[in-house]
Protein backbone atom coordinates (compact mmCIF):
# COMPACT_ATOMS: atom_id res chain seq x y z
CA UNK A 1 0.00 0.00 0.00
CA UNK A 2 1.07 3.53 -0.74
CA UNK A 3 1.78 5.77 2.22
CA UNK A 4 3.37 8.43 0.06
CA UNK A 5 0.31 10.69 -0.43
CA UNK A 6 0.14 11.19 3.32
CA UNK A 7 3.71 12.41 3.56
CA UNK A 8 2.99 16.15 3.43
CA UNK A 9 -0.02 15.66 5.65
CA UNK A 10 2.16 13.95 8.25
CA UNK A 11 4.14 17.18 8.62
CA UNK A 12 0.89 18.96 9.43
CA UNK A 13 -0.03 16.35 12.05
CA UNK A 14 3.47 16.62 13.58
CA UNK A 15 3.26 20.39 13.70
CA UNK A 16 -0.13 20.31 15.44
CA UNK A 17 1.06 17.69 17.92
CA UNK A 18 4.21 19.67 18.66
CA UNK A 19 1.93 22.50 19.81
CA UNK A 20 0.10 20.13 22.12
CA UNK A 21 -2.94 19.35 19.97
CA UNK A 22 -4.28 16.00 18.79
CA UNK A 23 -4.44 15.51 15.02
CA UNK A 24 -5.39 12.61 12.74
CA UNK A 25 -6.13 11.78 9.14
CA UNK A 26 -9.79 10.94 8.72
CA UNK A 27 -12.62 10.41 6.21
CA UNK A 28 -12.30 9.40 2.57
CA UNK A 29 -8.49 9.37 2.46
CA UNK A 30 -8.17 6.83 5.31
CA UNK A 31 -11.01 4.75 3.86
CA UNK A 32 -9.45 4.71 0.38
CA UNK A 33 -6.01 3.97 1.82
CA UNK A 34 -7.41 0.90 3.63
CA UNK A 35 -9.24 -0.22 0.49
CA UNK A 36 -6.09 0.26 -1.58
CA UNK A 37 -7.85 2.75 -3.81
CA UNK A 38 -6.40 5.99 -5.20
CA UNK A 39 -6.61 8.69 -2.55
CA UNK A 40 -8.40 11.98 -3.29
CA UNK A 41 -8.45 14.93 -0.92
CA UNK A 42 -6.90 14.42 2.49
CA UNK A 43 -8.97 15.48 5.51
CA UNK A 44 -7.42 16.10 8.90
CA UNK A 45 -9.29 16.29 12.19
CA UNK A 46 -7.75 18.07 15.17
CA UNK A 47 -8.41 19.34 18.68
CA UNK A 48 -6.99 22.74 17.65
CA UNK A 49 -9.62 25.42 17.05
CA UNK A 50 -9.71 27.13 13.64
CA UNK A 51 -8.01 30.31 14.90
CA UNK A 52 -5.24 28.22 16.47
CA UNK A 53 -4.73 26.37 13.16
CA UNK A 54 -4.56 29.76 11.44
CA UNK A 55 -1.84 30.89 13.82
CA UNK A 56 0.27 27.77 13.37
CA UNK A 57 0.42 27.56 9.56
CA UNK A 58 1.49 30.17 7.08
CA UNK A 59 -0.94 29.47 4.27
CA UNK A 60 -4.45 28.96 5.56
CA UNK A 61 -7.67 29.56 3.67
CA UNK A 62 -10.68 30.04 5.95
CA UNK A 63 -13.31 28.13 3.93
CA UNK A 64 -15.81 27.29 6.67
CA UNK A 65 -14.65 28.70 9.98
CA UNK A 66 -18.13 28.53 11.53
CA UNK A 67 -18.09 24.75 10.99
CA UNK A 68 -14.51 24.50 12.12
CA UNK A 69 -12.91 23.98 8.70
CA UNK A 70 -9.89 25.67 7.16
CA UNK A 71 -7.66 24.64 4.28
CA UNK A 72 -3.95 24.41 5.01
CA UNK A 73 -1.71 24.64 1.94
CA UNK A 74 1.62 22.90 1.98
CA UNK A 75 4.00 22.44 -0.95
CA UNK A 76 1.22 22.88 -3.46
CA UNK A 77 -1.16 20.47 -1.72
CA UNK A 78 -4.34 21.34 0.14
CA UNK A 79 -5.50 19.75 3.38
CA UNK A 80 -8.93 20.28 4.85
CA UNK A 81 -8.34 20.70 8.58
CA UNK A 82 -11.45 20.50 10.75
CA UNK A 83 -11.74 20.90 14.50
CA UNK A 84 -13.19 17.97 16.48
CA UNK A 85 -16.86 18.77 16.71
CA UNK A 86 -20.32 17.47 17.46
CA UNK A 87 -23.47 18.73 15.85
CA UNK A 88 -26.81 19.48 17.38
CA UNK A 89 -30.13 19.81 15.62
CA UNK A 90 -30.58 19.92 11.86
CA UNK A 91 -33.76 21.97 11.63
CA UNK A 92 -32.93 23.24 8.15
CA UNK A 93 -31.67 19.83 6.98
CA UNK A 94 -28.58 21.45 5.64
CA UNK A 95 -26.42 22.83 8.35
CA UNK A 96 -26.47 21.76 11.91
CA UNK A 97 -28.06 24.40 14.13
CA UNK A 98 -25.06 24.38 16.36
CA UNK A 99 -21.56 23.16 16.01
CA UNK A 100 -19.87 22.47 19.25
CA UNK A 101 -16.12 22.02 19.31
CA UNK A 102 -14.97 19.17 21.54
CA UNK A 103 -11.72 17.62 22.76
CA UNK A 104 -12.66 14.09 22.01
CA UNK A 105 -11.78 12.27 18.79
CA UNK A 106 -14.41 9.60 19.37
CA UNK A 107 -17.20 12.16 19.60
CA UNK A 108 -16.00 13.64 16.32
CA UNK A 109 -16.00 10.23 14.65
CA UNK A 110 -19.53 9.59 15.96
CA UNK A 111 -20.97 12.52 13.96
CA UNK A 112 -19.66 11.12 10.68
CA UNK A 113 -22.02 9.43 8.22
CA UNK A 114 -20.78 5.86 7.66
CA UNK A 115 -18.55 3.59 9.66
CA UNK A 116 -16.06 3.35 6.78
CA UNK A 117 -15.75 7.17 6.91
CA UNK A 118 -15.38 7.27 10.70
CA UNK A 119 -11.86 5.85 10.93
CA UNK A 120 -8.93 7.98 12.07
CA UNK A 121 -5.24 7.35 11.43
CA UNK A 122 -2.36 8.89 13.33
CA UNK A 123 0.97 10.01 11.91
CA UNK A 124 2.51 6.57 12.37
CA UNK A 125 -0.30 4.89 10.46
CA UNK A 126 -2.05 3.58 13.59
CA UNK A 127 -5.77 3.12 13.04
CA UNK A 128 -8.40 4.34 15.52
CA UNK A 129 -11.64 2.64 14.63
CA UNK A 130 -14.27 2.68 17.39
CA UNK A 131 -17.17 1.89 15.03
CA UNK A 132 -15.66 -1.13 13.24
CA UNK A 133 -15.22 0.73 9.98
CA UNK A 134 -12.41 -1.60 8.93
CA UNK A 135 -14.66 -4.61 9.29
CA UNK A 136 -17.28 -2.89 7.13
CA UNK A 137 -14.61 -2.18 4.51
CA UNK A 138 -13.50 -5.82 4.50
CA UNK A 139 -17.12 -6.90 4.09
CA UNK A 140 -17.70 -4.17 1.50
CA UNK A 141 -20.65 -2.88 3.50
CA UNK A 142 -22.07 0.59 4.07
CA UNK A 143 -23.34 1.05 7.66
CA UNK A 144 -24.38 4.33 9.23
CA UNK A 145 -22.67 5.28 12.47
CA UNK A 146 -25.59 4.79 14.85
CA UNK A 147 -29.24 4.32 13.91
CA UNK A 148 -29.79 4.77 10.17
CA UNK A 149 -33.22 6.41 10.46
CA UNK A 150 -31.88 8.97 12.94
CA UNK A 151 -28.79 9.71 10.91
CA UNK A 152 -30.80 10.12 7.68
CA UNK A 153 -33.29 12.28 9.47
CA UNK A 154 -30.50 14.61 10.65
CA UNK A 155 -29.20 15.02 7.13
CA UNK A 156 -31.10 13.25 4.32
CA UNK A 157 -28.26 13.86 1.87
CA UNK A 158 -26.55 10.92 3.55
CA UNK A 159 -28.99 8.64 1.73
CA UNK A 160 -27.72 9.80 -1.62
CA UNK A 161 -24.14 9.67 -0.36
CA UNK A 162 -24.69 6.00 0.50
CA UNK A 163 -25.71 5.26 -3.08
CA UNK A 164 -22.83 7.19 -4.59
CA UNK A 165 -20.38 5.26 -2.39
CA UNK A 166 -22.01 2.02 -3.61
CA UNK A 167 -21.40 3.23 -7.17
CA UNK A 168 -17.80 4.29 -6.48
CA UNK A 169 -16.70 1.36 -4.32
CA UNK A 170 -18.93 -1.60 -5.25
CA UNK A 171 -20.12 -1.76 -1.64
CA UNK A 172 -23.58 -2.94 -0.52
CA UNK A 173 -25.90 -1.35 2.02
CA UNK A 174 -26.39 -3.26 5.23
CA UNK A 175 -29.97 -4.37 5.86
CA UNK A 176 -30.97 -1.65 8.36
CA UNK A 177 -29.31 1.10 6.35
CA UNK A 178 -31.10 -0.10 3.21
CA UNK A 179 -34.48 -0.33 4.94
CA UNK A 180 -34.24 3.16 6.44
CA UNK A 181 -33.18 4.51 3.07
CA UNK A 182 -36.03 2.86 1.19
CA UNK A 183 -38.47 4.40 3.67
CA UNK A 184 -36.80 7.79 3.76
CA UNK A 185 -37.42 9.21 0.28
CA UNK A 186 -39.80 11.94 1.46
CA UNK A 187 -36.98 13.50 3.46
CA UNK A 188 -35.10 14.15 0.22
CA UNK A 189 -37.48 17.07 -0.34
CA UNK A 190 -35.59 18.95 2.33
CA UNK A 191 -32.22 18.96 0.60
CA UNK A 192 -31.05 21.65 -1.77
CA UNK A 193 -30.78 20.80 -5.46
CA UNK A 194 -27.13 21.87 -5.52
CA UNK A 195 -26.19 19.25 -2.92
CA UNK A 196 -28.20 16.58 -4.75
CA UNK A 197 -26.48 17.38 -8.04
CA UNK A 198 -22.99 17.09 -6.52
CA UNK A 199 -23.76 13.57 -5.25
CA UNK A 200 -25.52 12.54 -8.47
CA UNK A 201 -22.52 13.57 -10.53
CA UNK A 202 -20.31 11.33 -8.38
CA UNK A 203 -22.83 8.48 -8.54
CA UNK A 204 -22.96 8.57 -12.34
CA UNK A 205 -19.17 8.77 -12.58
CA UNK A 206 -18.65 5.73 -10.34
CA UNK A 207 -17.08 2.63 -11.90
CA UNK A 208 -20.00 0.57 -10.51
CA UNK A 209 -22.62 2.97 -11.83
CA UNK A 210 -25.07 0.15 -12.65
CA UNK A 211 -25.13 -0.72 -8.97
CA UNK A 212 -25.79 2.90 -7.98
CA UNK A 213 -28.60 3.15 -10.54
CA UNK A 214 -30.17 -0.13 -9.46
CA UNK A 215 -30.23 1.13 -5.87
CA UNK A 216 -31.71 4.49 -6.92
CA UNK A 217 -34.55 2.60 -8.59
CA UNK A 218 -35.02 -0.12 -5.98
CA UNK A 219 -35.13 2.26 -3.03
CA UNK A 220 -37.39 4.67 -4.98
CA UNK A 221 -35.02 7.54 -4.19
CA UNK A 222 -35.27 8.27 -7.91
CA UNK A 223 -38.84 9.49 -7.26
CA UNK A 224 -37.35 12.46 -5.43
CA UNK A 225 -34.76 13.53 -7.99
CA UNK A 226 -35.39 16.61 -10.13
CA UNK A 227 -36.97 15.73 -13.53
CA UNK A 228 -36.88 11.96 -12.89
CA UNK A 229 -39.54 12.33 -10.24
CA UNK A 230 -42.13 13.30 -12.88
CA UNK A 231 -41.08 10.89 -15.60
CA UNK A 232 -41.33 7.10 -15.13
CA UNK A 233 -40.10 6.47 -18.66
CA UNK A 234 -36.86 8.34 -17.96
CA UNK A 235 -36.44 6.38 -14.73
CA UNK A 236 -36.60 3.09 -16.61
CA UNK A 237 -34.23 4.36 -19.31
CA UNK A 238 -31.59 4.70 -16.61
CA UNK A 239 -31.21 0.94 -16.84
CA UNK A 240 -29.67 1.41 -20.31
CA UNK A 241 -26.64 3.06 -18.74
CA UNK A 242 -23.80 0.60 -18.57
CA UNK A 243 -20.77 2.84 -18.33
CA UNK A 244 -19.75 5.66 -16.00
CA UNK A 245 -19.84 9.25 -17.23
CA UNK A 246 -16.67 11.31 -17.13
CA UNK A 247 -18.63 14.53 -16.66
CA UNK A 248 -22.13 15.74 -15.96
CA UNK A 249 -22.29 17.32 -19.44
CA UNK A 250 -21.87 13.86 -20.98
CA UNK A 251 -24.73 12.44 -18.92
CA UNK A 252 -26.86 15.45 -19.78
CA UNK A 253 -26.27 14.96 -23.49
CA UNK A 254 -27.38 11.34 -23.21
CA UNK A 255 -30.49 12.28 -21.24
CA UNK A 256 -31.44 14.83 -23.90
CA UNK A 257 -30.81 12.26 -26.64
CA UNK A 258 -33.35 10.01 -24.91
CA UNK A 259 -35.89 12.76 -25.51
CA UNK A 260 -39.02 12.19 -23.43
CA UNK A 261 -39.81 15.85 -24.04
CA UNK A 262 -37.18 17.18 -21.65
CA UNK A 263 -34.87 19.77 -23.21
CA UNK A 264 -31.34 20.57 -22.24
CA UNK A 265 -32.50 23.84 -20.72
CA UNK A 266 -35.11 21.99 -18.65
CA UNK A 267 -32.43 19.68 -17.23
CA UNK A 268 -29.98 22.51 -16.61
CA UNK A 269 -32.61 24.53 -14.76
CA UNK A 270 -33.96 21.64 -12.70
CA UNK A 271 -30.48 20.48 -11.69
CA UNK A 272 -29.17 24.04 -11.22
CA UNK A 273 -26.19 23.34 -13.43
CA UNK A 274 -23.40 25.81 -14.04
CA UNK A 275 -23.30 27.66 -17.36
CA UNK A 276 -20.10 25.84 -18.15
CA UNK A 277 -21.71 22.39 -17.79
CA UNK A 278 -24.71 23.54 -19.82
CA UNK A 279 -22.50 24.92 -22.59
CA UNK A 280 -20.44 21.72 -22.70
CA UNK A 281 -23.61 19.64 -22.93
CA UNK A 282 -24.84 21.84 -25.79
CA UNK A 283 -21.59 21.32 -27.68
CA UNK A 284 -21.80 17.57 -27.18
CA UNK A 285 -25.44 17.42 -28.18
CA UNK A 286 -24.84 19.44 -31.36
CA UNK A 287 -21.88 17.24 -32.22
CA UNK A 288 -23.96 14.07 -31.81
CA UNK A 289 -26.87 15.51 -33.83
CA UNK A 290 -24.43 16.50 -36.61
CA UNK A 291 -22.58 13.20 -36.58
CA UNK A 292 -25.77 11.18 -36.92
CA UNK A 293 -25.99 12.71 -40.43
CA UNK A 294 -22.34 13.20 -41.32
CA UNK A 295 -20.39 10.78 -39.16
CA UNK A 296 -16.98 11.64 -37.82
CA UNK A 297 -15.64 14.32 -40.12
CA UNK A 298 -13.13 17.15 -39.91
CA UNK A 299 -15.75 19.85 -39.51
CA UNK A 300 -17.21 18.13 -36.47
CA UNK A 301 -13.86 17.52 -34.79
CA UNK A 302 -12.72 21.07 -35.59
CA UNK A 303 -15.72 22.65 -33.88
CA UNK A 304 -15.80 20.45 -30.81
CA UNK A 305 -13.74 22.02 -27.97
CA UNK A 306 -10.71 19.86 -27.28
CA UNK A 307 -11.57 19.33 -23.60
CA UNK A 308 -14.76 17.55 -24.68
CA UNK A 309 -13.21 15.00 -27.03
CA UNK A 310 -12.99 12.31 -24.34
CA UNK A 311 -16.63 12.91 -23.40
CA UNK A 312 -17.71 12.80 -27.02
CA UNK A 313 -16.16 9.39 -27.77
CA UNK A 314 -18.48 7.22 -25.62
CA UNK A 315 -21.52 9.17 -26.82
CA UNK A 316 -20.56 8.76 -30.46
CA UNK A 317 -19.83 5.09 -29.83
CA UNK A 318 -23.33 4.69 -28.41
CA UNK A 319 -25.29 6.67 -30.96
CA UNK A 320 -23.34 6.29 -34.21
CA UNK A 321 -20.61 3.64 -34.23
CA UNK A 322 -17.84 2.50 -31.92
CA UNK A 323 -14.70 4.66 -32.11
CA UNK A 324 -11.54 5.05 -30.09
CA UNK A 325 -9.44 8.05 -29.09
CA UNK A 326 -6.98 6.97 -31.79
CA UNK A 327 -9.64 7.39 -34.50
CA UNK A 328 -10.40 10.88 -33.25
CA UNK A 329 -6.72 11.78 -32.96
CA UNK A 330 -6.10 10.89 -36.57
CA UNK A 331 -8.85 13.30 -37.61
CA UNK A 332 -7.42 16.00 -35.31
CA UNK A 333 -4.00 15.53 -36.87
CA UNK A 334 -5.42 15.86 -40.38
CA UNK A 335 -6.96 19.28 -39.65
CA UNK A 336 -5.37 21.97 -41.87
CA UNK A 337 -6.00 24.56 -39.13
CA UNK A 338 -6.97 24.23 -35.44
CA UNK A 339 -8.66 27.62 -35.01
CA UNK A 340 -9.75 30.65 -36.98
CA UNK A 341 -6.62 32.46 -35.83
CA UNK A 342 -4.62 30.16 -38.07
CA UNK A 343 -6.56 31.20 -41.17
CA UNK A 344 -4.13 32.86 -43.59
CA UNK A 345 -6.39 35.84 -44.09
CA UNK A 346 -7.60 38.52 -41.70
CA UNK A 347 -10.58 40.84 -41.36
CA UNK A 348 -8.31 43.67 -42.52
CA UNK A 349 -7.43 41.76 -45.70
CA UNK A 350 -11.14 41.40 -46.44
CA UNK A 351 -11.88 45.08 -45.80
CA UNK A 352 -9.01 46.06 -48.08
CA UNK A 353 -10.50 43.92 -50.84
CA UNK A 354 -13.82 45.73 -50.68
CA UNK A 355 -12.90 49.35 -49.83
CA UNK A 356 -16.29 50.70 -50.88
CA UNK A 357 -18.38 48.48 -48.68
CA UNK A 358 -19.40 49.59 -45.22
CA UNK A 359 -18.06 47.49 -42.38
CA UNK A 360 -20.59 45.04 -40.98
CA UNK A 361 -21.43 41.42 -40.22
CA UNK A 362 -20.61 40.43 -43.81
CA UNK A 363 -16.91 40.41 -42.89
CA UNK A 364 -17.46 37.78 -40.26
CA UNK A 365 -19.69 35.75 -42.58
CA UNK A 366 -16.95 35.72 -45.20
CA UNK A 367 -14.36 34.60 -42.68
CA UNK A 368 -16.67 31.82 -41.47
CA UNK A 369 -17.16 30.60 -45.00
CA UNK A 370 -13.41 30.64 -45.64
CA UNK A 371 -12.81 28.83 -42.36
CA UNK A 372 -15.21 26.04 -43.27
CA UNK A 373 -13.76 25.68 -46.77
CA UNK A 374 -10.20 25.52 -45.46
CA UNK A 375 -11.08 23.01 -42.73
CA UNK A 376 -12.94 20.74 -45.14
CA UNK A 377 -10.12 20.91 -47.67
CA UNK A 378 -12.00 22.84 -50.35
CA UNK A 379 -9.55 25.73 -50.25
CA UNK A 380 -5.84 25.85 -49.46
CA UNK A 381 -4.91 27.97 -46.46
CA UNK A 382 -2.94 30.51 -48.50
CA UNK A 383 -3.54 34.21 -48.40
CA UNK A 384 -3.72 34.75 -52.16
CA UNK A 385 -5.94 31.70 -52.74
CA UNK A 386 -8.38 32.83 -50.08
CA UNK A 387 -8.46 36.42 -51.32
CA UNK A 388 -9.03 35.32 -54.91
CA UNK A 389 -11.87 33.12 -53.81
CA UNK A 390 -13.77 35.81 -51.89
CA UNK A 391 -13.29 38.26 -54.72
CA UNK A 392 -14.64 36.06 -57.46
CA UNK A 393 -16.55 33.13 -55.99
CA UNK A 394 -18.11 34.19 -52.74
CA UNK A 395 -21.90 34.28 -52.69
CA UNK A 396 -23.28 35.31 -49.31
CA UNK A 397 -26.02 32.70 -49.17
CA UNK A 398 -23.80 29.77 -50.14
CA UNK A 399 -24.71 26.83 -47.92
CA UNK A 400 -22.34 23.91 -48.20
P1 LIG B 1 -14.56 11.64 -1.25
O1 LIG B 1 -13.65 10.54 -1.62
O2 LIG B 1 -15.64 11.86 -2.25
O3 LIG B 1 -13.88 12.92 -0.84
P2 LIG B 1 -15.27 11.52 1.53
O4 LIG B 1 -15.76 10.38 2.35
O5 LIG B 1 -13.94 12.09 1.90
O6 LIG B 1 -15.31 11.06 0.04
P3 LIG B 1 -16.27 14.18 1.87
O7 LIG B 1 -17.55 14.77 1.35
O8 LIG B 1 -14.97 14.71 1.40
O9 LIG B 1 -16.38 12.62 1.61
O10 LIG B 1 -16.35 14.28 3.45
C1 LIG B 1 -15.25 13.99 4.30
C2 LIG B 1 -15.73 13.25 5.54
O11 LIG B 1 -16.64 14.08 6.27
C3 LIG B 1 -16.52 11.97 5.24
O12 LIG B 1 -15.66 10.87 5.05
C4 LIG B 1 -17.35 11.86 6.49
O13 LIG B 1 -16.58 11.37 7.57
C5 LIG B 1 -17.69 13.30 6.80
N1 LIG B 1 -18.95 13.72 6.13
C6 LIG B 1 -19.10 14.32 4.94
N2 LIG B 1 -20.38 14.59 4.66
C7 LIG B 1 -21.07 14.17 5.73
C8 LIG B 1 -22.46 14.18 6.07
N3 LIG B 1 -23.38 14.68 5.24
N4 LIG B 1 -22.81 13.66 7.27
C9 LIG B 1 -21.88 13.15 8.12
N5 LIG B 1 -20.57 13.11 7.85
C10 LIG B 1 -20.16 13.61 6.68
MG1 LIG C 1 -12.98 13.82 0.94
Amino acid sequence: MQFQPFFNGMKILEELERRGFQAYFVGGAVRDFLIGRKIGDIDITTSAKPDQVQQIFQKVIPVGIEHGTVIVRREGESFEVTTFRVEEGYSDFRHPDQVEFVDDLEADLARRDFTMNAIAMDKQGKIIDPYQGKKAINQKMIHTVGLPSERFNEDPLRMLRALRFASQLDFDLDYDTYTALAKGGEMMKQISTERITVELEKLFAGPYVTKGIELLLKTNLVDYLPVFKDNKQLQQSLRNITMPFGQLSELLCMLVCWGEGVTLSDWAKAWKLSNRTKKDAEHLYEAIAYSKKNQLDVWLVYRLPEHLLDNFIPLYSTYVEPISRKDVNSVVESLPIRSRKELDVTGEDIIALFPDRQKGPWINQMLSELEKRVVTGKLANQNNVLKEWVKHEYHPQSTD
Side-chain angles (χ1 to χ4, degrees):
M1 270 195 267
Q2 283 274 315
F3 205 72
Q4 179 61 29
F6 290 103
F7 190 73
N8 256 329
M10 260 149 50
K11 304 269 178 227
I12 294 177
L13 300 192
E14 272 167 16
E15 193 62 35
L16 284 161
E17 284 183 7
R18 215 166 54 79
R19 314 279 177 130
F21 299 108
Q22 301 174 58
Y24 301 88
F25 297 116
V26 74
V30 177
R31 177 196 68 225
D32 291 342
F33 170 66
L34 292 172
I35 293 174
R37 186 171 176 259
K38 192 171 174 293
I39 288 156
D41 300 338
I42 296 187
D43 292 306
I44 290 172
T45 186
T46 178
S47 59
K49 307 282 184 301
D51 55 321
Q52 292 169 320
V53 179
Q54 275 179 308
Q55 276 164 17
I56 296 172
F57 299 100
Q58 273 177 348
K59 289 189 203 152
V60 182
I61 310 165
V63 282
I65 294 248
E66 65 290 2
H67 299 113
T69 305
V70 299
I71 287 181
V72 174
R73 300 268 308 157
R74 199 190 152 88
E75 293 179 11
E77 281 181 63
S78 292
F79 299 86
E80 216 167 89
V81 181
T82 305
T83 307
F84 292 165
R85 63 174 210 221
V86 290
E87 293 155 8
E88 279 170 25
Y90 275 81
S91 57
D92 72 348
F93 290 96
R94 213 177 294 145
H95 299 302
D97 292 342
Q98 267 182 336
V99 171
E100 190 192 325
F101 297 140
V102 291
D103 270 339
D104 179 14
L105 171 69
E106 262 195 47
D108 178 83
L109 294 177
R111 64 133 179 125
R112 293 174 183 273
D113 49 4
F114 304 111
T115 59
M116 63 183 180
N117 291 341
I119 309 172
M121 183 168 81
D122 77 4
K123 65 178 193 300
Q124 269 116 20
K126 187 175 150 243
I127 296 293
I128 297 100
D129 179 21
Y131 303 101
Q132 285 80 52
K134 239 173 116 168
K135 188 172 158 204
I137 288 175
N138 291 336
Q139 296 176 337
K140 300 179 86 171
M141 282 297 215
I142 300 171
H143 290 266
T144 52
V145 176
L147 269 183
S149 54
E150 273 175 23
R151 303 311 310 283
F152 291 153
N153 198 18
E154 278 170 9
D155 179 5
L157 187 76
R158 290 170 187 156
M159 298 190 285
L160 212 45
R161 280 174 62 85
L163 302 199
R164 75 106 152 150
F165 285 124
S167 170
Q168 289 178 319
L169 307 172
D170 193 22
F171 280 24
D172 292 312
L173 306 187
D174 97 292
Y175 179 78
D176 291 342
T177 303
Y178 177 89
T179 312
L181 210 146
K183 282 190 198 151
E186 278 297 312
M187 293 189 291
M188 289 273 291
K189 291 183 179 162
Q190 321 294 333
I191 333 171
S192 74
T193 308
E194 290 86 346
R195 289 182 88 206
I196 292 182
T197 304
V198 168
E199 293 303 324
L200 278 184
E201 176 164 27
K202 291 183 180 175
L203 187 152
F204 283 107
Y208 307 95
V209 59
T210 49
K211 183 172 225 159
I213 288 174
E214 203 47 46
L215 282 167
L216 265 184
L217 293 166
K218 256 173 62 186
T219 57
N220 293 326
L221 238 50
V222 71
D223 286 332
Y224 300 91
L225 300 181
V227 186
F228 287 109
K229 65 177 190 290
D230 307 310
N231 198 321
K232 289 282 171 205
Q233 195 54 43
L234 271 174
Q235 293 188 8
Q236 289 315 314
S237 304
L238 281 173
R239 289 214 161 87
N240 299 332
I241 293 177
T242 52
M243 277 185 317
F245 290 91
Q247 258 189 37
L248 214 46
S249 55
E250 209 181 293
L251 170 66
L252 207 62
C253 177
M254 179 170 263
L255 293 169
V256 178
C257 286
W258 287 347
E260 308 299 342
V262 189
T263 66
L264 207 149
S265 293
D266 295 335
W267 282 107
K269 208 167 146 200
W271 282 21
K272 301 214 169 137
L273 299 177
S274 67
N275 285 339
R276 164 82 192 245
T277 302
K278 191 176 167 200
K279 194 101 220 116
D280 283 352
E282 276 164 5
H283 274 303
L284 289 169
Y285 185 69
E286 278 162 23
I288 290 297
Y290 174 93
S291 61
K292 279 181 181 165
K293 289 188 222 136
N294 304 281
Q295 279 163 330
L296 188 72
D297 67 11
V298 276
W299 188 232
L300 178 143
V301 172
Y302 175 79
R303 281 182 308 160
L304 194 63
E306 210 175 331
H307 74 273
L308 292 175
L309 286 177
D310 280 333
N311 305 105
F312 171 74
I313 291 165
L315 290 167
Y316 185 92
S317 299
T318 305
Y319 288 109
V320 187
E321 58 176 342
I323 43 159
S324 65
R325 179 75 206 212
K326 226 171 116 198
D327 299 323
V328 177
N329 284 351
S330 64
V331 182
V332 172
E333 275 149 30
S334 74
L335 290 174
I337 57 171
R338 298 283 171 99
S339 74
R340 186 184 280 197
K341 276 193 243 121
E342 290 180 26
L343 207 57
D344 197 15
V345 72
T346 63
E348 277 80 54
D349 291 335
I350 305 274
I351 293 164
L353 284 176
F354 302 97
D356 301 332
R357 286 181 74 171
Q358 233 187 345
K359 286 183 198 167
W362 60 272
I363 304 168
N364 208 27
Q365 274 166 22
M366 253 184 212
L367 285 169
S368 297
E369 185 64 35
L370 288 170
E371 182 184 23
K372 184 166 183 185
R373 285 181 172 265
V374 167
V375 171
T376 53
K378 292 188 180 129
L379 282 174
N381 189 26
Q382 287 168 10
N383 188 270
N384 57 341
V385 174
L386 300 176
K387 285 204 295 210
E388 279 303 302
W389 188 82
V390 278
K391 241 169 127 180
H392 302 295
E393 310 274 342
Y394 179 68
H395 306 291
Q397 253 69 51
S398 96
T399 53
D400 45 355

